Amino acid sequence: MDDKEALRVGAAVRRRRRSLGLTLAAVAGRSGLSVPFLSQIENERARPSTRSLERVADALETTPAQLRAAADSARTVDVVRAAPGPGVRRVVRGGHQLNAREFTGEQDTGREYQHRNDEVMYIADGAAEVEAEGRAYRLERGDTLYLSGGVRHRWRATEPGTRILVVAVAENIDATIDPPR
């Protein structure tokens, strides 16, 4: 494993550990590695050897290859160029933690939406009307509307040339927080 690849696994290790609901101490107990060393790996201050990465992967119920793949996808840099004319375009490609789309022109699908996770709507140009939780909101250039997961809403652009950026936590991500019982 080269230095760059070794450094990249930290974020993937942290995400995997958190997705399993494990503490660093629990992973240390499972892997036989120390909490400080695991913390250094997660914070990309230590480079795990091949054997250490195998032990971490086993403790996290995955493989070193899957951790490397997750690390590579976490470090993606991708430029999406502007598209001419009205329509809808993805602003973030692929299966990432964010879903972002730009809506251009007079959009009015008339349909109601309800997303599992939070989203933000930013009016880059023009204006829009949004109905959410029984209330109507008029948004103009520069305005932002935040909708928590589960809020039913519908919207429409109200001026020609309206550009709206909608950024949401991807549906495949479990970003909901259950209240303590």
Side-chain angles (χ1 to χ4, degrees):
M1 174 182 332
D2 69 13
D3 286 353
K4 278 183 163 180
E5 189 174 290
L7 278 174
R8 283 192 233 163
V9 298
V13 168
R14 180 182 303 111
R15 278 194 311 278
R16 178 68 181 167
R17 176 180 63 79
R18 288 179 176 169
S19 75
L20 294 172
L22 297 174
T23 63
L24 280 171
V27 176
R30 289 179 174 194
S31 67
L33 300 171
S34 72
V35 170
F37 181 60
L38 291 169
S39 177
Q40 289 176 344
I41 290 171
E42 285 191 1
N43 291 305
E44 300 181 347
R45 289 191 210 111
R47 297 178 177 114
S49 66
T50 301
R51 179 65 189 127
S52 292
L53 186 58
E54 289 170 355
R55 290 167 69 178
V56 170
D58 287 345
L60 296 174
E61 302 167 5
T62 190
T63 66
Q66 288 174 320
L67 287 174
R68 286 188 203 105
D72 287 343
S73 67
R75 298 294 181 144
T76 298
V77 176
D78 187 21
V79 175
V80 178
R81 300 288 178 197
V88 179
R89 76 177 174 109
R90 292 180 63 91
V91 185
V92 176
R93 286 186 274 242
H96 299 287
Q97 294 182 14
L98 289 179
N99 179 0
R101 289 196 164 95
E102 179 187 47
F103 296 84
T104 307
E106 296 185 50
Q107 301 285 326
D108 184 4
T109 63
R111 98 177 231 224
E112 185 175 71
Y113 298 94
Q114 182 179 21
H115 304 290
R116 171 181 164 165
N117 294 316
D118 298 354
E119 71 179 83
V120 172
M121 178 181 287
Y122 172 74
I123 311 302
D125 283 310
E129 289 179 353
V130 179
E131 182 185 320
E133 296 293 303
R135 291 188 60 196
Y137 301 89
R138 174 149 172 82
L139 304 175
E140 297 178 349
R141 181 184 176 157
D143 290 345
T144 302
L145 178 75
Y146 165 81
L147 298 162
S148 64
V151 171
R152 292 183 186 278
H153 61 284
R154 69 181 72 216
W155 63 270
R156 69 183 186 91
T158 58
E159 293 180 8
T162 294
R163 287 187 22 219
I164 301 171
L165 178 64
V166 177
V167 179
V169 176
E171 291 291 321
N172 63 314
I173 304 296
D174 185 7
T176 57
I177 299 173
D178 295 325
R181 294 175 191 205

